[in-house]
PDB file of all heavy atoms in Angstrom:
ATOM      1  N   GLY G 353       4.851 -20.112  28.408  1.00 93.00           N
ATOM      2  CA  GLY G 353       3.943 -19.365  27.548  1.00 93.00           C
ATOM      3  C   GLY G 353       2.560 -19.210  28.142  1.00 93.00           C
ATOM      4  O   GLY G 353       1.696 -18.565  27.558  1.00 93.00           O
ATOM      5  N   GLY G 354       2.360 -19.757  29.333  1.00 93.00           N
ATOM      6  CA  GLY G 354       1.045 -19.723  29.930  1.00 93.00           C
ATOM      7  C   GLY G 354       0.753 -18.480  30.742  1.00 93.00           C
ATOM      8  O   GLY G 354      -0.396 -18.208  31.087  1.00 93.00           O
ATOM      9  N   SER G 355       1.796 -17.723  31.073  1.00 96.00           N
ATOM     10  CA  SER G 355       1.611 -16.503  31.853  1.00 96.00           C
ATOM     11  C   SER G 355       2.221 -15.326  31.115  1.00 96.00           C
ATOM     12  O   SER G 355       3.327 -15.432  30.588  1.00 96.00           O
ATOM     13  CB  SER G 355       2.281 -16.632  33.225  1.00 96.00           C
ATOM     14  OG  SER G 355       1.690 -17.658  33.982  1.00 96.00           O
ATOM     15  N   ALA G 356       1.481 -14.227  31.090  1.00 97.00           N
ATOM     16  CA  ALA G 356       1.964 -13.008  30.446  1.00 97.00           C
ATOM     17  C   ALA G 356       1.706 -11.826  31.363  1.00 97.00           C
ATOM     18  O   ALA G 356       0.787 -11.844  32.189  1.00 97.00           O
ATOM     19  CB  ALA G 356       1.274 -12.804  29.104  1.00 97.00           C
ATOM     20  N   ASP G 357       2.516 -10.802  31.200  1.00 98.00           N
ATOM     21  CA  ASP G 357       2.386  -9.587  32.000  1.00 98.00           C
ATOM     22  C   ASP G 357       2.642  -8.404  31.080  1.00 98.00           C
ATOM     23  O   ASP G 357       3.449  -8.496  30.154  1.00 98.00           O
ATOM     24  CB  ASP G 357       3.381  -9.602  33.161  1.00 98.00           C
ATOM     25  CG  ASP G 357       3.136  -8.481  34.147  1.00 98.00           C
ATOM     26  OD1 ASP G 357       2.007  -7.946  34.180  1.00 98.00           O
ATOM     27  OD2 ASP G 357       4.075  -8.131  34.895  1.00 98.00           O
ATOM     28  N   TYR G 358       1.942  -7.308  31.342  1.00 98.00           N
ATOM     29  CA  TYR G 358       2.069  -6.122  30.502  1.00 98.00           C
ATOM     30  C   TYR G 358       2.185  -4.870  31.338  1.00 98.00           C
ATOM     31  O   TYR G 358       1.598  -4.780  32.421  1.00 98.00           O
ATOM     32  CB  TYR G 358       0.842  -5.985  29.587  1.00 98.00           C
ATOM     33  CG  TYR G 358       0.655  -7.138  28.627  1.00 98.00           C
ATOM     34  CD1 TYR G 358      -0.109  -8.247  28.980  1.00 98.00           C
ATOM     35  CD2 TYR G 358       1.255  -7.115  27.373  1.00 98.00           C
ATOM     36  CE1 TYR G 358      -0.273  -9.309  28.107  1.00 98.00           C
ATOM     37  CE2 TYR G 358       1.084  -8.177  26.483  1.00 98.00           C
ATOM     38  CZ  TYR G 358       0.328  -9.268  26.871  1.00 98.00           C
ATOM     39  OH  TYR G 358       0.168 -10.316  25.988  1.00 98.00           O
ATOM     40  N   ALA G 359       2.895  -3.899  30.821  1.00 98.00           N
ATOM     41  CA  ALA G 359       2.888  -2.574  31.427  1.00 98.00           C
ATOM     42  C   ALA G 359       1.493  -1.983  31.282  1.00 98.00           C
ATOM     43  O   ALA G 359       0.790  -2.246  30.292  1.00 98.00           O
ATOM     44  CB  ALA G 359       3.918  -1.677  30.746  1.00 98.00           C
ATOM     45  N   ASP G 360       1.084  -1.207  32.258  1.00 98.00           N
ATOM     46  CA  ASP G 360      -0.249  -0.607  32.208  1.00 98.00           C
ATOM     47  C   ASP G 360      -0.458   0.212  30.935  1.00 98.00           C
ATOM     48  O   ASP G 360      -1.562   0.252  30.391  1.00 98.00           O
ATOM     49  CB  ASP G 360      -0.469   0.286  33.431  1.00 98.00           C
ATOM     50  CG  ASP G 360      -0.643  -0.519  34.707  1.00 98.00           C
ATOM     51  OD1 ASP G 360      -0.920  -1.730  34.624  1.00 98.00           O
ATOM     52  OD2 ASP G 360      -0.498   0.082  35.792  1.00 98.00           O
ATOM     53  N   SER G 361       0.613   0.837  30.466  1.00 98.00           N
ATOM     54  CA  SER G 361       0.500   1.723  29.307  1.00 98.00           C
ATOM     55  C   SER G 361       0.190   0.983  28.013  1.00 98.00           C
ATOM     56  O   SER G 361      -0.228   1.609  27.027  1.00 98.00           O
ATOM     57  CB  SER G 361       1.790   2.527  29.140  1.00 98.00           C
ATOM     58  OG  SER G 361       2.897   1.652  28.959  1.00 98.00           O
ATOM     59  N   VAL G 362       0.398  -0.340  27.988  1.00 98.00           N
ATOM     60  CA  VAL G 362       0.171  -1.097  26.751  1.00 98.00           C
ATOM     61  C   VAL G 362      -0.913  -2.158  26.886  1.00 98.00           C
ATOM     62  O   VAL G 362      -1.257  -2.814  25.900  1.00 98.00           O
ATOM     63  CB  VAL G 362       1.477  -1.749  26.247  1.00 98.00           C
ATOM     64  CG1 VAL G 362       2.588  -0.719  26.129  1.00 98.00           C
ATOM     65  CG2 VAL G 362       1.900  -2.910  27.130  1.00 98.00           C
ATOM     66  N   LYS G 363      -1.446  -2.328  28.086  1.00 98.00           N
ATOM     67  CA  LYS G 363      -2.489  -3.346  28.284  1.00 98.00           C
ATOM     68  C   LYS G 363      -3.669  -3.093  27.361  1.00 98.00           C
ATOM     69  O   LYS G 363      -4.137  -1.965  27.225  1.00 98.00           O
ATOM     70  CB  LYS G 363      -2.948  -3.343  29.738  1.00 98.00           C
ATOM     71  CG  LYS G 363      -2.035  -4.107  30.673  1.00 98.00           C
ATOM     72  CD  LYS G 363      -2.564  -4.093  32.098  1.00 98.00           C
ATOM     73  CE  LYS G 363      -1.615  -4.826  33.034  1.00 98.00           C
ATOM     74  NZ  LYS G 363      -2.051  -4.761  34.446  1.00 98.00           N
ATOM     75  N   GLY G 364      -4.144  -4.170  26.753  1.00 98.00           N
ATOM     76  CA  GLY G 364      -5.272  -4.068  25.837  1.00 98.00           C
ATOM     77  C   GLY G 364      -4.878  -3.678  24.430  1.00 98.00           C
ATOM     78  O   GLY G 364      -5.715  -3.762  23.519  1.00 98.00           O
ATOM     79  N   ARG G 365      -3.638  -3.266  24.231  1.00 98.00           N
ATOM     80  CA  ARG G 365      -3.169  -2.867  22.901  1.00 98.00           C
ATOM     81  C   ARG G 365      -2.078  -3.797  22.369  1.00 98.00           C
ATOM     82  O   ARG G 365      -1.991  -4.031  21.167  1.00 98.00           O
ATOM     83  CB  ARG G 365      -2.633  -1.437  22.918  1.00 98.00           C
ATOM     84  CG  ARG G 365      -3.660  -0.397  23.349  1.00 98.00           C
ATOM     85  CD  ARG G 365      -3.128   1.025  23.144  1.00 98.00           C
ATOM     86  NE  ARG G 365      -1.948   1.305  23.946  1.00 98.00           N
ATOM     87  CZ  ARG G 365      -0.779   1.707  23.442  1.00 98.00           C
ATOM     88  NH1 ARG G 365      -0.632   1.851  22.141  1.00 98.00           N
ATOM     89  NH2 ARG G 365       0.244   1.956  24.242  1.00 98.00           N
ATOM     90  N   PHE G 366      -1.228  -4.285  23.251  1.00 98.00           N
ATOM     91  CA  PHE G 366      -0.100  -5.132  22.856  1.00 98.00           C
ATOM     92  C   PHE G 366      -0.358  -6.575  23.295  1.00 98.00           C
ATOM     93  O   PHE G 366      -1.031  -6.822  24.302  1.00 98.00           O
ATOM     94  CB  PHE G 366       1.195  -4.658  23.508  1.00 98.00           C
ATOM     95  CG  PHE G 366       1.733  -3.349  22.986  1.00 98.00           C
ATOM     96  CD1 PHE G 366       0.979  -2.515  22.173  1.00 98.00           C
ATOM     97  CD2 PHE G 366       3.011  -2.936  23.333  1.00 98.00           C
ATOM     98  CE1 PHE G 366       1.478  -1.320  21.702  1.00 98.00           C
ATOM     99  CE2 PHE G 366       3.530  -1.746  22.865  1.00 98.00           C
ATOM    100  CZ  PHE G 366       2.760  -0.928  22.050  1.00 98.00           C
ATOM    101  N   ASN G 367       0.226  -7.508  22.540  1.00 98.00           N
ATOM    102  CA  ASN G 367       0.126  -8.920  22.900  1.00 98.00           C
ATOM    103  C   ASN G 367       1.460  -9.604  22.648  1.00 98.00           C
ATOM    104  O   ASN G 367       2.035  -9.485  21.555  1.00 98.00           O
ATOM    105  CB  ASN G 367      -0.955  -9.604  22.069  1.00 98.00           C
ATOM    106  CG  ASN G 367      -1.145 -11.051  22.490  1.00 98.00           C
ATOM    107  OD1 ASN G 367      -1.647 -11.330  23.570  1.00 98.00           O
ATOM    108  ND2 ASN G 367      -0.755 -11.971  21.633  1.00 98.00           N
ATOM    109  N   ILE G 368       1.948 -10.314  23.660  1.00 98.00           N
ATOM    110  CA  ILE G 368       3.196 -11.053  23.535  1.00 98.00           C
ATOM    111  C   ILE G 368       2.874 -12.533  23.349  1.00 98.00           C
ATOM    112  O   ILE G 368       1.961 -13.063  23.986  1.00 98.00           O
ATOM    113  CB  ILE G 368       4.106 -10.833  24.766  1.00 98.00           C
ATOM    114  CG1 ILE G 368       5.471 -11.486  24.559  1.00 98.00           C
ATOM    115  CG2 ILE G 368       3.437 -11.289  26.052  1.00 98.00           C
ATOM    116  CD1 ILE G 368       6.480 -11.142  25.648  1.00 98.00           C
ATOM    117  N   SER G 369       3.631 -13.179  22.470  1.00 98.00           N
ATOM    118  CA  SER G 369       3.422 -14.599  22.225  1.00 98.00           C
ATOM    119  C   SER G 369       4.750 -15.226  21.824  1.00 98.00           C
ATOM    120  O   SER G 369       5.715 -14.515  21.521  1.00 98.00           O
ATOM    121  CB  SER G 369       2.374 -14.811  21.134  1.00 98.00           C
ATOM    122  OG  SER G 369       2.796 -14.247  19.904  1.00 98.00           O
ATOM    123  N   ARG G 370       4.773 -16.560  21.800  1.00 97.00           N
ATOM    124  CA  ARG G 370       5.994 -17.247  21.422  1.00 97.00           C
ATOM    125  C   ARG G 370       5.659 -18.461  20.570  1.00 97.00           C
ATOM    126  O   ARG G 370       4.594 -19.056  20.713  1.00 97.00           O
ATOM    127  CB  ARG G 370       6.818 -17.654  22.647  1.00 97.00           C
ATOM    128  CG  ARG G 370       6.173 -18.698  23.537  1.00 97.00           C
ATOM    129  CD  ARG G 370       6.921 -18.838  24.863  1.00 97.00           C
ATOM    130  NE  ARG G 370       8.298 -19.281  24.654  1.00 97.00           N
ATOM    131  CZ  ARG G 370       9.264 -19.110  25.558  1.00 97.00           C
ATOM    132  NH1 ARG G 370       9.002 -18.516  26.700  1.00 97.00           N
ATOM    133  NH2 ARG G 370      10.489 -19.553  25.305  1.00 97.00           N
ATOM    134  N   ASP G 371       6.616 -18.806  19.707  1.00 96.00           N
ATOM    135  CA  ASP G 371       6.531 -20.006  18.896  1.00 96.00           C
ATOM    136  C   ASP G 371       7.832 -20.769  19.133  1.00 96.00           C
ATOM    137  O   ASP G 371       8.876 -20.422  18.562  1.00 96.00           O
ATOM    138  CB  ASP G 371       6.360 -19.651  17.414  1.00 96.00           C
ATOM    139  CG  ASP G 371       6.157 -20.874  16.540  1.00 96.00           C
ATOM    140  OD1 ASP G 371       6.576 -21.973  16.950  1.00 96.00           O
ATOM    141  OD2 ASP G 371       5.607 -20.719  15.447  1.00 96.00           O
ATOM    142  N   ASN G 372       7.784 -21.759  19.992  1.00 93.00           N
ATOM    143  CA  ASN G 372       9.004 -22.468  20.350  1.00 93.00           C
ATOM    144  C   ASN G 372       9.593 -23.229  19.163  1.00 93.00           C
ATOM    145  O   ASN G 372      10.809 -23.395  19.077  1.00 93.00           O
ATOM    146  CB  ASN G 372       8.733 -23.423  21.507  1.00 93.00           C
ATOM    147  CG  ASN G 372       8.542 -22.685  22.819  1.00 93.00           C
ATOM    148  OD1 ASN G 372       8.925 -21.515  22.952  1.00 93.00           O
ATOM    149  ND2 ASN G 372       7.928 -23.351  23.780  1.00 93.00           N
ATOM    150  N   ALA G 373       8.754 -23.691  18.259  1.00 93.00           N
ATOM    151  CA  ALA G 373       9.257 -24.403  17.092  1.00 93.00           C
ATOM    152  C   ALA G 373      10.111 -23.493  16.207  1.00 93.00           C
ATOM    153  O   ALA G 373      11.054 -23.953  15.558  1.00 93.00           O
ATOM    154  CB  ALA G 373       8.099 -24.985  16.292  1.00 93.00           C
ATOM    155  N   LYS G 374       9.769 -22.214  16.204  1.00 95.00           N
ATOM    156  CA  LYS G 374      10.532 -21.240  15.421  1.00 95.00           C
ATOM    157  C   LYS G 374      11.524 -20.471  16.275  1.00 95.00           C
ATOM    158  O   LYS G 374      12.219 -19.582  15.763  1.00 95.00           O
ATOM    159  CB  LYS G 374       9.581 -20.257  14.734  1.00 95.00           C
ATOM    160  CG  LYS G 374       8.681 -20.904  13.700  1.00 95.00           C
ATOM    161  CD  LYS G 374       7.794 -19.873  13.027  1.00 95.00           C
ATOM    162  CE  LYS G 374       6.922 -20.520  11.960  1.00 95.00           C
ATOM    163  NZ  LYS G 374       6.038 -19.517  11.289  1.00 95.00           N
ATOM    164  N   ALA G 375      11.567 -20.780  17.565  1.00 96.00           N
ATOM    165  CA  ALA G 375      12.465 -20.080  18.501  1.00 96.00           C
ATOM    166  C   ALA G 375      12.290 -18.573  18.369  1.00 96.00           C
ATOM    167  O   ALA G 375      13.273 -17.810  18.261  1.00 96.00           O
ATOM    168  CB  ALA G 375      13.917 -20.479  18.269  1.00 96.00           C
ATOM    169  N   THR G 376      11.061 -18.131  18.405  1.00 97.00           N
ATOM    170  CA  THR G 376      10.755 -16.716  18.178  1.00 97.00           C
ATOM    171  C   THR G 376       9.693 -16.246  19.172  1.00 97.00           C
ATOM    172  O   THR G 376       8.745 -16.977  19.464  1.00 97.00           O
ATOM    173  CB  THR G 376      10.256 -16.503  16.740  1.00 97.00           C
ATOM    174  OG1 THR G 376      11.276 -16.917  15.821  1.00 97.00           O
ATOM    175  CG2 THR G 376       9.938 -15.030  16.490  1.00 97.00           C
ATOM    176  N   VAL G 377       9.885 -15.037  19.650  1.00 98.00           N
ATOM    177  CA  VAL G 377       8.871 -14.370  20.462  1.00 98.00           C
ATOM    178  C   VAL G 377       8.394 -13.149  19.686  1.00 98.00           C
ATOM    179  O   VAL G 377       9.180 -12.510  18.979  1.00 98.00           O
ATOM    180  CB  VAL G 377       9.415 -13.996  21.855  1.00 98.00           C
ATOM    181  CG1 VAL G 377      10.542 -12.993  21.763  1.00 98.00           C
ATOM    182  CG2 VAL G 377       8.298 -13.483  22.743  1.00 98.00           C
ATOM    183  N   TYR G 378       7.114 -12.870  19.809  1.00 98.00           N
ATOM    184  CA  TYR G 378       6.491 -11.775  19.055  1.00 98.00           C
ATOM    185  C   TYR G 378       5.905 -10.734  19.986  1.00 98.00           C
ATOM    186  O   TYR G 378       5.523 -11.039  21.118  1.00 98.00           O
ATOM    187  CB  TYR G 378       5.377 -12.320  18.157  1.00 98.00           C
ATOM    188  CG  TYR G 378       5.817 -13.396  17.201  1.00 98.00           C
ATOM    189  CD1 TYR G 378       5.617 -14.743  17.506  1.00 98.00           C
ATOM    190  CD2 TYR G 378       6.431 -13.077  15.994  1.00 98.00           C
ATOM    191  CE1 TYR G 378       6.018 -15.745  16.636  1.00 98.00           C
ATOM    192  CE2 TYR G 378       6.839 -14.075  15.109  1.00 98.00           C
ATOM    193  CZ  TYR G 378       6.629 -15.403  15.440  1.00 98.00           C
ATOM    194  OH  TYR G 378       7.031 -16.385  14.564  1.00 98.00           O
ATOM    195  N   LEU G 379       5.797  -9.532  19.485  1.00 98.00           N
ATOM    196  CA  LEU G 379       5.062  -8.481  20.169  1.00 98.00           C
ATOM    197  C   LEU G 379       4.150  -7.831  19.140  1.00 98.00           C
ATOM    198  O   LEU G 379       4.617  -7.092  18.270  1.00 98.00           O
ATOM    199  CB  LEU G 379       6.001  -7.441  20.790  1.00 98.00           C
ATOM    200  CG  LEU G 379       5.295  -6.381  21.629  1.00 98.00           C
ATOM    201  CD1 LEU G 379       4.714  -7.005  22.906  1.00 98.00           C
ATOM    202  CD2 LEU G 379       6.246  -5.235  21.996  1.00 98.00           C
ATOM    203  N   GLN G 380       2.876  -8.145  19.234  1.00 98.00           N
ATOM    204  CA  GLN G 380       1.882  -7.534  18.371  1.00 98.00           C
ATOM    205  C   GLN G 380       1.444  -6.220  19.007  1.00 98.00           C
ATOM    206  O   GLN G 380       0.967  -6.217  20.142  1.00 98.00           O
ATOM    207  CB  GLN G 380       0.676  -8.449  18.190  1.00 98.00           C
ATOM    208  CG  GLN G 380      -0.432  -7.850  17.339  1.00 98.00           C
ATOM    209  CD  GLN G 380      -0.029  -7.661  15.888  1.00 98.00           C
ATOM    210  OE1 GLN G 380       0.576  -8.545  15.291  1.00 98.00           O
ATOM    211  NE2 GLN G 380      -0.378  -6.512  15.323  1.00 98.00           N
ATOM    212  N   MET G 381       1.607  -5.141  18.278  1.00 98.00           N
ATOM    213  CA  MET G 381       1.309  -3.811  18.806  1.00 98.00           C
ATOM    214  C   MET G 381       0.201  -3.184  17.975  1.00 98.00           C
ATOM    215  O   MET G 381       0.385  -2.962  16.767  1.00 98.00           O
ATOM    216  CB  MET G 381       2.564  -2.934  18.768  1.00 98.00           C
ATOM    217  CG  MET G 381       3.757  -3.546  19.492  1.00 98.00           C
ATOM    218  SD  MET G 381       5.178  -2.439  19.579  1.00 98.00           S
ATOM    219  CE  MET G 381       5.573  -2.268  17.844  1.00 98.00           C
ATOM    220  N   ASN G 382      -0.922  -2.925  18.611  1.00 98.00           N
ATOM    221  CA  ASN G 382      -2.075  -2.326  17.945  1.00 98.00           C
ATOM    222  C   ASN G 382      -2.389  -0.967  18.552  1.00 98.00           C
ATOM    223  O   ASN G 382      -1.931  -0.646  19.654  1.00 98.00           O
ATOM    224  CB  ASN G 382      -3.289  -3.242  18.076  1.00 98.00           C
ATOM    225  CG  ASN G 382      -3.064  -4.606  17.467  1.00 98.00           C
ATOM    226  OD1 ASN G 382      -2.406  -4.744  16.432  1.00 98.00           O
ATOM    227  ND2 ASN G 382      -3.610  -5.642  18.092  1.00 98.00           N
ATOM    228  N   SER G 383      -3.174  -0.198  17.839  1.00 98.00           N
ATOM    229  CA  SER G 383      -3.583   1.129  18.318  1.00 98.00           C
ATOM    230  C   SER G 383      -2.390   1.930  18.810  1.00 98.00           C
ATOM    231  O   SER G 383      -2.410   2.507  19.901  1.00 98.00           O
ATOM    232  CB  SER G 383      -4.621   0.990  19.444  1.00 98.00           C
ATOM    233  OG  SER G 383      -5.745   0.265  19.010  1.00 98.00           O
ATOM    234  N   LEU G 384      -1.371   1.968  18.009  1.00 98.00           N
ATOM    235  CA  LEU G 384      -0.130   2.615  18.413  1.00 98.00           C
ATOM    236  C   LEU G 384      -0.312   4.116  18.610  1.00 98.00           C
ATOM    237  O   LEU G 384      -1.105   4.770  17.905  1.00 98.00           O
ATOM    238  CB  LEU G 384       0.958   2.337  17.387  1.00 98.00           C
ATOM    239  CG  LEU G 384       1.567   0.933  17.495  1.00 98.00           C
ATOM    240  CD1 LEU G 384       2.295   0.552  16.213  1.00 98.00           C
ATOM    241  CD2 LEU G 384       2.509   0.846  18.678  1.00 98.00           C
ATOM    242  N   LYS G 385       0.437   4.630  19.567  1.00 98.00           N
ATOM    243  CA  LYS G 385       0.392   6.047  19.918  1.00 98.00           C
ATOM    244  C   LYS G 385       1.782   6.654  19.742  1.00 98.00           C
ATOM    245  O   LYS G 385       2.786   5.929  19.839  1.00 98.00           O
ATOM    246  CB  LYS G 385      -0.047   6.203  21.369  1.00 98.00           C
ATOM    247  CG  LYS G 385      -1.367   5.548  21.705  1.00 98.00           C
ATOM    248  CD  LYS G 385      -1.657   5.655  23.200  1.00 98.00           C
ATOM    249  CE  LYS G 385      -2.971   4.974  23.561  1.00 98.00           C
ATOM    250  NZ  LYS G 385      -3.253   5.079  25.023  1.00 98.00           N
ATOM    251  N   PRO G 386       1.866   7.957  19.555  1.00 97.00           N
ATOM    252  CA  PRO G 386       3.195   8.587  19.443  1.00 97.00           C
ATOM    253  C   PRO G 386       4.091   8.284  20.646  1.00 97.00           C
ATOM    254  O   PRO G 386       5.311   8.137  20.494  1.00 97.00           O
ATOM    255  CB  PRO G 386       2.863  10.069  19.335  1.00 97.00           C
ATOM    256  CG  PRO G 386       1.524  10.100  18.688  1.00 97.00           C
ATOM    257  CD  PRO G 386       0.788   8.914  19.255  1.00 97.00           C
ATOM    258  N   GLU G 387       3.504   8.145  21.820  1.00 97.00           N
ATOM    259  CA  GLU G 387       4.306   7.868  23.017  1.00 97.00           C
ATOM    260  C   GLU G 387       4.857   6.445  23.044  1.00 97.00           C
ATOM    261  O   GLU G 387       5.643   6.103  23.931  1.00 97.00           O
ATOM    262  CB  GLU G 387       3.498   8.145  24.291  1.00 97.00           C
ATOM    263  CG  GLU G 387       2.133   7.500  24.339  1.00 97.00           C
ATOM    264  CD  GLU G 387       1.027   8.451  23.891  1.00 97.00           C
ATOM    265  OE1 GLU G 387       1.220   9.179  22.881  1.00 97.00           O
ATOM    266  OE2 GLU G 387      -0.028   8.457  24.559  1.00 97.00           O
ATOM    267  N   ASP G 388       4.469   5.618  22.083  1.00 98.00           N
ATOM    268  CA  ASP G 388       5.063   4.288  21.958  1.00 98.00           C
ATOM    269  C   ASP G 388       6.391   4.326  21.202  1.00 98.00           C
ATOM    270  O   ASP G 388       7.082   3.310  21.103  1.00 98.00           O
ATOM    271  CB  ASP G 388       4.106   3.341  21.234  1.00 98.00           C
ATOM    272  CG  ASP G 388       2.843   3.053  22.021  1.00 98.00           C
ATOM    273  OD1 ASP G 388       2.937   2.875  23.253  1.00 98.00           O
ATOM    274  OD2 ASP G 388       1.753   3.013  21.401  1.00 98.00           O
ATOM    275  N   THR G 389       6.733   5.483  20.669  1.00 98.00           N
ATOM    276  CA  THR G 389       7.980   5.617  19.933  1.00 98.00           C
ATOM    277  C   THR G 389       9.180   5.338  20.833  1.00 98.00           C
ATOM    278  O   THR G 389       9.323   5.938  21.904  1.00 98.00           O
ATOM    279  CB  THR G 389       8.102   7.034  19.341  1.00 98.00           C
ATOM    280  OG1 THR G 389       7.066   7.220  18.360  1.00 98.00           O
ATOM    281  CG2 THR G 389       9.459   7.245  18.686  1.00 98.00           C
ATOM    282  N   ALA G 390      10.017   4.412  20.405  1.00 98.00           N
ATOM    283  CA  ALA G 390      11.177   3.998  21.198  1.00 98.00           C
ATOM    284  C   ALA G 390      11.957   2.936  20.431  1.00 98.00           C
ATOM    285  O   ALA G 390      11.487   2.428  19.413  1.00 98.00           O
ATOM    286  CB  ALA G 390      10.741   3.443  22.547  1.00 98.00           C
ATOM    287  N   VAL G 391      13.111   2.607  20.962  1.00 98.00           N
ATOM    288  CA  VAL G 391      13.816   1.401  20.524  1.00 98.00           C
ATOM    289  C   VAL G 391      13.295   0.258  21.391  1.00 98.00           C
ATOM    290  O   VAL G 391      13.289   0.356  22.622  1.00 98.00           O
ATOM    291  CB  VAL G 391      15.340   1.541  20.660  1.00 98.00           C
ATOM    292  CG1 VAL G 391      16.030   0.237  20.262  1.00 98.00           C
ATOM    293  CG2 VAL G 391      15.851   2.697  19.804  1.00 98.00           C
ATOM    294  N   TYR G 392      12.874  -0.805  20.738  1.00 98.00           N
ATOM    295  CA  TYR G 392      12.318  -1.958  21.443  1.00 98.00           C
ATOM    296  C   TYR G 392      13.351  -3.080  21.497  1.00 98.00           C
ATOM    297  O   TYR G 392      13.952  -3.444  20.474  1.00 98.00           O
ATOM    298  CB  TYR G 392      11.047  -2.432  20.739  1.00 98.00           C
ATOM    299  CG  TYR G 392       9.862  -1.562  21.046  1.00 98.00           C
ATOM    300  CD1 TYR G 392       9.771  -0.264  20.535  1.00 98.00           C
ATOM    301  CD2 TYR G 392       8.834  -2.004  21.870  1.00 98.00           C
ATOM    302  CE1 TYR G 392       8.690   0.547  20.828  1.00 98.00           C
ATOM    303  CE2 TYR G 392       7.750  -1.198  22.165  1.00 98.00           C
ATOM    304  CZ  TYR G 392       7.689   0.077  21.649  1.00 98.00           C
ATOM    305  OH  TYR G 392       6.618   0.891  21.957  1.00 98.00           O
TER     306      TYR G 392
END
């Protein structure tokens, strides 16, 4: 969880994180654009 990498198109807008106790990874997506439309 100490290193993260992002596509240039989402840098500064998206944030990836994890909660090992909940066995879950998150993707916080802010300032969404129409070009972000996709299946994730």
Side-chain angles (χ1 to χ4, degrees):
S355 297
D357 189 21
Y358 298 90
D360 288 343
S361 59
V362 307
K363 279 181 182 176
R365 300 188 298 123
F366 290 12
N367 184 70
I368 186 172
S369 62
R370 66 191 298 160
D371 185 336
N372 287 342
K374 295 182 178 180
T376 300
V377 64
Y378 304 98
L379 185 68
Q380 178 67 44
M381 305 186 296
N382 300 323
S383 302
L384 283 162
K385 304 175 181 180
E387 50 264 43
D388 294 319
T389 295
V391 177
Y392 282 71

